[in-house]
Each structure stands twice: as structure tokens, then as C-alpha cells.
Amino acid sequence: MTALIFALLIPLSFALGSGFVAQKWLRPFNLVGSSLLLVTATVLLFDVVANQSASESVSVAFGGWPSPIAISFLADGFSALMVLSIALVFFSVLVFAKQGLTDEGVLSERIGFILLQGVIASAIAVSLTQDLFNLYVWFELMLIGVLGLFVLNQRRQNKEAAMKYFSLNMLGTLLMLSAIGLIYGTTGHLNYEVLKHFALDENLSPQLEIYTGLLVLALLMKIGAFPLFLWLPATYHALPLPLLALIGGLLTKVTAFVLLRLSGLSLELDSLSSLLGWIAVLTMLSGVIGAAYHWDLRRILAFHIISQVGFLLLGIALLSHQAAVGTMLFLIHNVLVKTNLFLIVGVIWWVTKHYDLRQIGGLYPTNSLLAILFLINAMALVGVPPTSGFWGKFLLLNEAFHQEFYIWAIAALMTGLLTLYSMSKIWLEAFWKPAVSDSVNLNQAIPMHLTLPIIGLTLVVLLIGFYPELLIQFLQGTESGFDRDSITGFEGGAHD
Amino acid sequence: MNLLLMITISFLVGAGVYLTLSRDLLRVILGLAILGVAANFVVFYAGNPATDLSAIIAQGEQMLPAGAANPLPQVLVLTAIVIGFALISFALVLMVAIVREPSSEKYQANQVGHASPSSRDIDALALNEPTKTEADNPNKPAILESK
């Protein structure tokens, strides 16, 4: 329980502290903060594991109010793993960003660290909270933080990207707020667990279904689902690279995690599931096809975010415990691999000073370590067996075939094939092709602070790939909320 | 009261959507601000404001009587107003920064001839003004003129 509170308090207090520490201590200070967070997240996971055997949950209700009234935070297997992957990715990106978060000088550096810690705190809170309105507030804080990060570099493209990001996400947020208001108006509750009972109530459910649809629409907008994804590749490439790795790796996944949680623990998506599945298919395909068209490394990866989001949506649409386990595994894998690929793009930029594949070449003979790291992560993204990507996809596709959604599963397989196409495009162009120009010296030794985080994340990816049983069993033992028998009666009346 | 609220909300949503669909950056932000007000009203409506029953829990009872006013949505709306205000302020500052950038005509639907130094200062906020009215009335702030 203490770890649960500290997982939130640490990033918040380090955000505050970053406003006051001396300039030269700024990065060490934040590194300490993120490693403390990593330790706390690990402790939290062990707490959850210890409590799972005693079938208790790790939760805290703030303000001393009784359970459905208080705003409560809950860590179970899913959210503890989410917090741990957020902390891990944050730490890796901070190690990577030794040259600074941006190239704009001192002031923006300080603001950048404050905002970054704030975004991490919000992402953690979003994964832990059990209250719909609280969820909305943390989403808004995340939005404000990310907007600030967008304009750290004050170039024109940053401002434009921030404006696009603002207007589309604001629209999603407003939809979310209205949906939450309407849900509260119908049920008189905001707590996830209580809402589940209302959602299963025959008398209320038609009304609640509409409001749930509104909430799902808002989340789909923030996830970047078809056809509302265009803001994503139009904005992400404006971010300076260490921040791009973090935000591209985390934000859409955190939102997908919220949707997974809500669909299991709180709301009924039964009537939406087939629609959600088709949206997922279209999202997957439009993501990979967009990626196939582009030559800018950052844009290719940004489009791949969309197709991975499609996979996650497919898992959510299947609405079963097995699918939830698969989705969660795929989500964790995706956070790690996507961040890692963006970091590798950062190293490629560091060596060649280009993001455009047509200007890059000849990296394999000179930087074979980088090439191998890229290969492992690209294979993981495609889903080739001894990597973490395989297991999540395997569980999802297995469940899709099991539930006889053949077209969805085949579309998912097609997506994998097309992912392979654009990953091999990067491989052929950046690594195998002979060097394009002689002006860049490809033989510089890459500094340790750039390679170490990539190697670390790659090891985690391989570890999950080689020993998935532990994780799968742990997740299968966790209550995802799709198992209807587990829902016990709720005492207390509806307010109308 | 309920009818009045509903008419207000639908009017606000209509106005907000209309403004948001504009090609003009200032109008888009104003549209989002108005949509935000509409969303706040929706949450406010959740508190059952039309009732005469006040939000007092009778002695010995555990919860509000059915149909009573609920004060919680007002708290929620207050939070939402604060957050929305911060976001809209940020967006307005960002808009000024974008408009001041050289060569940002694409956000200004009807404005032509952006090269003069005077159009780079705050007058450029009058996004829909054709430049010639600026020349007609050099002292009048262009933002106040209606089109």
C-alpha cells in the first residue's frame, strides 16, 4: 500500500524539486527520481504478487471515506505491470538523454524535466485510479504536460504540432467529460467497481450503453484509432528525440490500457465489441500502409504506433479473460519495443545526422552492434518467435480464432506481414545499403549512455520472449473483470 | 429548468461545432472553449438542478432522498472549468506564437500580403481581415472590426 502511494508521490515531488535544484544537478536529480520510481514500481509488483496468493488487492482509498464514495487507487497484476513498464521506460529515456532533452538551452531543460515528471505521474495515476472523474483529471494533466513538451523546442513545426495535438485531444477530452457527467447522472457513482454493477443492471443498461459509447469514442480519439488517427503521425515527429521515444512509447498505450481496464472492470462493451473489432482491423491496416509509404524513420515508427494500437483494440474487442491477458502482454511488449526502436532511431541520427532513409546507409559494417539491436527489436515488433512480440500476438490470435473471428485474425496476420515489409525497408536502406555520402564519418564510437539503455530494454524484450510462462501465468491469475462469475452483489441503491 | 438547460447546451454545442470547423485558428480555439462550456453544462445537468428537494440527508438516513439535488457535479464542474481555462489560455498563447511566425498564412484563411513587418505584431490576430482595411484605418485595432 505504501508503494502504491509512493509510485505517485515520487514523480510529483521530483517534478516540484526540479524547479529548485541547481542547473548542474538537474539531470542527476531526475535520474535519482526515476530510479527511485523504478524501485518503487518493482516493490509494488512484489506487493501485488504477495497479495495475489492471499487473494487480496493492493488499494488505497483517499480521505478515509468508505469504499464506493472515496476516490481509490488500486494496483492489481495489470496495473502494477503497467506502472513498472512506465518506470522502466522513463529511466531508460533519462539515461539516454545525457545531451539534454532538447537542443534549446537551459531554461527549457528545467521546464522539460518538470513537465516530464508530471507526465509520468499522470500516466501512473491514470493506470491506477478507480474513479472516472479522477481519470479525466489525470488525462488532462497528461495533455497539459505533453503540450508543454511539444513546445520545448520553439521551432515553427513544434508550435504547429502542439496546436494540432491540442485541438484534437481537447475535443476527445470534452467528449470524455460529457460522457462521465452523463454516466454520473444516470448512476450516481463514479467508482469503476460500482459502475460494473449498474452496467449489468437491465433497467439502466440501455441508457448507460449510449454514454459508454461516448466515453469509448473519446478514448478511441486519444488512442489514435481509425479514422481519428491523423493527428498522431502529423504531430509526433516534431518532438525532440528522447521525448519522442517516451511519448511515442507510452501515451497511446496508457490510453489503451485504460480502455482495457474500463471494459473489464467497469463498463459493458458487449454491444460495441463487433464495431470495435472492425475499427481495430481498419486501424491496423491503415497504420501499416501509412508506414509503408514513408521514408522518414520517425514517421514510419509513428504510423506503426497506430497499427499496434489496432492490435490492442482487437484484443479489447474480444472481451474475454484470455484476450485481456494477451492484450496486456502485447501492451507491455509494445511499450518497451516502441521506445527502444525510437531510441535506436536516435542513435542512427547521432551517427548519420539524418532521419531520411534515403540519406542513410552503410551502418551494418561500421555499427554492427546497433544493427543487431535493431534487428532484435524489429523482429519483436513484427512478432517473430523468440521475442516478446510473438507471445502477445499468439495469445490474441489464438483467442480470435477460438471465438471464430477469422477475418479479424487474418487481418492481424496481414498486418504482421506488412510490418515486416517496412522493418525490412529500414534494415535494407539504413544498414545494408552502401553509405550514401562520404561526408559523414560512420566510424565514430557510439557513447555508452546511448547504447546502454537500448541494450537494457532489448534484454528485457528477450527475457519476456524466452520466459513468457511466468508473466502469462501471473496475468492469468489476475482478475481482469471479464469473468462474470466473480462479480458479487453490490449493496446500496441507485440515485436517480 | 431542464428544458432551458437542454436548449442552452444544444445551442452551445451547435455554436462550438460551427466555430471549430472553421479554417481560422482563433475561431477553432473559441469553438473549443464554447464546447468546453457545453460539456460543463452537461456535467452540471447530472446534478439534477431542476428539483426543489435540497441536498440534505435526513437524520438516520445514509443517502440523499431520490430526486434530490446533488451538489457533487458542481464540484466536478469547478475542476473542469479550471482545467479548461488553463488549456484554453495555453492554446491562445500558442496561437499568438504561431501567427507571429513568418509565413504562417495557411492558418489565416483570407489574409494576403503577409510580408510587411506590421502584420507580424499583434494586429495579425485579426485573422479574417483583408489587409486593405488595415490600410484604411491604421489606428483602429483590426481585431475589433466586424467583417
Side-chain angles (χ1 to χ4, degrees):
Chain A
M1 197 181 112
T2 341
L4 181 58
I5 299 172
F6 271 98
L8 196 60
L9 269 186
I10 289 172
L12 281 179
S13 45
F14 276 83
L16 192 66
S18 296
F20 298 102
V21 287
Q23 190 62 44
K24 64 174 175 177
W25 293 112
L26 202 55
R27 185 170 169 273
F29 180 74
N30 278 282
L31 267 178
V32 169
S34 62
S35 37
L36 270 180
L37 182 64
L38 195 56
V39 172
T40 316
T42 318
V43 173
L44 181 65
L45 186 65
F46 279 110
D47 263 14
V48 170
V49 173
N51 276 317
Q52 200 181 35
S53 48
S55 65
E56 284 171 13
S57 55
V58 182
S59 69
V60 54
F62 293 108
W65 292 93
S67 167
I69 298 166
I71 291 172
S72 56
F73 277 42
L74 171 104
D76 58 4
F78 287 72
S79 43
L81 275 174
M82 190 70 211
V83 172
L84 184 59
S85 28
I86 292 172
L88 184 63
V89 163
F90 182 40
F91 180 70
S92 316
V93 168
L94 278 192
V95 174
F96 184 90
K98 193 182 177 184
Q99 310 286 337
L101 298 174
T102 66
D103 37 354
E104 279 283 310
V106 228
L107 178 67
S108 75
E109 195 70 12
R110 185 180 293 277
I111 297 170
F113 276 118
I114 296 174
L115 290 172
L116 206 51
Q117 294 275 10
V119 169
I120 293 297
S122 328
I124 289 176
V126 159
S127 327
L128 292 175
T129 185
Q130 291 292 298
D131 183 279
L132 272 185
F133 194 79
N134 202 244
L135 179 79
Y136 156 78
V137 173
W138 289 114
F139 257 118
E140 290 271 15
L141 287 182
M142 205 151 76
L143 174 60
I144 293 174
V146 174
L147 280 175
L149 292 177
F150 263 111
V151 290
L152 275 185
N153 268 351
Q154 303 217 334
R155 299 202 196 94
R156 182 167 155 227
Q157 62 162 0
N158 294 78
K159 295 175 194 165
E160 287 180 9
M163 188 48 92
K164 290 173 198 160
Y165 192 84
F166 163 79
S167 26
L168 285 155
N169 275 280
M170 183 77 183
L171 215 55
T173 307
L174 291 176
L175 267 181
M176 190 171 167
L177 178 64
S178 324
I180 290 171
L182 290 167
I183 289 175
Y184 182 77
T186 322
T187 61
H189 283 281
L190 290 165
N191 187 290
Y192 285 9
E193 202 190 336
V194 181
L195 284 176
K196 186 80 190 176
H197 299 284
F198 283 104
L200 296 174
D201 183 350
E202 291 290 319
N203 299 327
L204 274 176
S205 51
Q207 251 177 314
L208 207 53
E209 242 166 45
I210 299 170
Y211 305 150
T212 306
L214 203 58
L215 185 60
V216 171
L217 177 66
L219 286 172
L220 285 182
M221 223 162 166
K222 284 172 172 290
I223 286 180
F226 183 88
L228 307 167
F229 62 84
L230 287 169
W231 60 270
L232 199 152
T235 55
Y236 270 19
H237 65 91
L239 281 165
L241 207 118
L243 297 175
L244 173 63
L246 191 73
I247 286 168
L250 271 186
L251 281 197
T252 47
K253 277 71 168 188
V254 169
T255 318
F257 178 78
V258 169
L259 192 55
L260 176 70
R261 250 41 260 289
L262 283 177
S263 67
L265 296 179
S266 173
L267 303 164
E268 274 293 300
L269 301 188
D270 277 0
S271 49
L272 288 172
S273 73
S274 67
L275 179 65
L276 210 55
W278 286 110
I279 290 177
V281 167
L282 289 172
T283 311
M284 278 189 273
L285 290 175
S286 46
V288 275
I289 290 168
Y293 167 78
H294 279 285
W295 289 89
D296 185 318
L297 281 168
R298 294 166 300 175
R299 285 181 196 256
I300 293 176
L301 290 181
F303 269 103
H304 274 294
I305 293 178
I306 297 166
S307 82
Q308 311 298 329
V309 156
F311 264 100
L312 296 171
L313 285 177
L314 178 66
I316 294 166
L318 291 174
L319 292 179
S320 71
H321 183 60
Q322 281 302 322
V325 172
T327 312
M328 192 59 210
L329 198 63
F330 192 74
L331 204 151
I332 295 166
H333 139 80
N334 213 275
V335 169
L336 300 175
V337 168
K338 188 56 81 177
T339 309
N340 217 356
L341 280 172
F342 274 122
L343 292 180
I344 290 171
V345 167
V347 179
I348 292 179
W349 187 84
W350 191 86
V351 177
T352 63
K353 301 288 177 274
H354 274 293
Y355 288 116
D356 188 342
L357 275 178
R358 288 164 291 202
Q359 310 293 325
I360 305 169
L363 284 174
Y364 182 65
T366 51
N367 296 286
S368 36
L369 175 68
L370 185 67
I372 291 166
L373 289 173
F374 172 78
L375 196 62
I376 294 172
N377 283 290
M379 289 296 126
L381 194 72
V382 177
V384 173
T387 54
S388 57
F390 172 71
W391 297 106
K393 267 192 189 178
F394 173 71
L395 287 176
L396 279 183
L397 288 178
N398 193 22
E399 183 65 19
F401 277 118
H402 187 69
Q403 293 193 16
E404 300 178 351
F405 290 117
Y406 298 116
I407 300 178
W408 296 359
I410 289 166
L413 287 170
M414 283 284 295
T415 310
L417 209 63
L418 286 166
T419 312
L420 185 63
Y421 166 73
S422 50
M423 285 301 123
S424 41
K425 181 164 90 179
I426 298 180
W427 174 255
L428 289 174
E429 293 288 328
F431 292 95
W432 269 8
K433 189 175 70 182
V436 174
S437 68
D438 301 331
S439 58
V440 187
N441 176 21
L442 296 178
N443 281 314
Q444 325 163 51
I446 302 167
M448 290 298 268
H449 68 87
L450 294 183
T451 42
L452 273 184
I454 299 177
I455 294 174
L457 285 176
T458 308
L459 284 181
V460 179
V461 166
L462 285 177
L463 199 69
I464 298 176
F466 280 115
Y467 298 103
E469 313 92 64
L470 199 66
L471 205 57
I472 293 174
Q473 270 168 17
F474 171 60
L475 283 173
Q476 274 176 342
T478 304
E479 193 58 64
S480 69
F482 290 104
D483 199 359
R484 286 293 145 67
D485 302 334
S486 64
I487 295 162
T488 48
F490 164 67
E491 278 148 37
H495 139 97
D496 41 349
Chain B
M1 179 74 175
N2 275 346
L3 188 67
L4 190 66
L5 259 180
M6 277 172 206
I7 293 170
T8 315
I9 291 171
S10 45
F11 183 74
L12 285 173
V13 170
V17 169
Y18 175 74
L19 284 174
T20 313
L21 292 176
S22 158
R23 281 182 49 122
D24 187 312
L25 205 50
L26 180 63
R27 289 187 178 200
V28 172
I29 295 172
L30 286 179
L32 284 171
I34 291 174
L35 279 178
V37 175
N40 288 341
F41 268 116
V42 171
V43 180
F44 178 68
Y45 173 69
N48 205 0
T51 181
D52 290 335
L53 272 173
S54 52
I56 297 172
I57 300 174
Q59 204 168 17
E61 289 286 318
Q62 282 292 316
M63 49 194 312
L64 282 174
N70 188 340
L72 186 70
Q74 298 180 21
V75 183
L76 303 184
V77 167
L78 193 61
T79 316
I81 289 174
V82 173
I83 297 174
F85 178 71
L87 277 170
I88 293 293
S89 319
F90 177 84
L92 286 170
V93 173
L94 188 63
M95 184 203 69
V96 173
I98 289 177
V99 172
R100 279 182 178 176
E101 288 279 333
S103 71
S104 54
E105 288 93 349
K106 68 172 180 175
Y107 291 103
Q108 302 165 35
N110 302 323
Q111 192 159 358
V112 281
H114 208 267
S116 66
S118 71
S119 62
R120 283 191 57 192
D121 57 32
I122 202 73
D123 283 353
L125 275 174
L127 301 177
N128 262 344
E129 283 309 310
T131 25
K132 61 176 186 197
T133 46
E134 235 171 84
D136 295 342
N137 262 339
N139 295 324
K140 190 172 175 187
I143 194 166
L144 298 177
E145 291 175 6
S146 62
K147 189 158 176 241

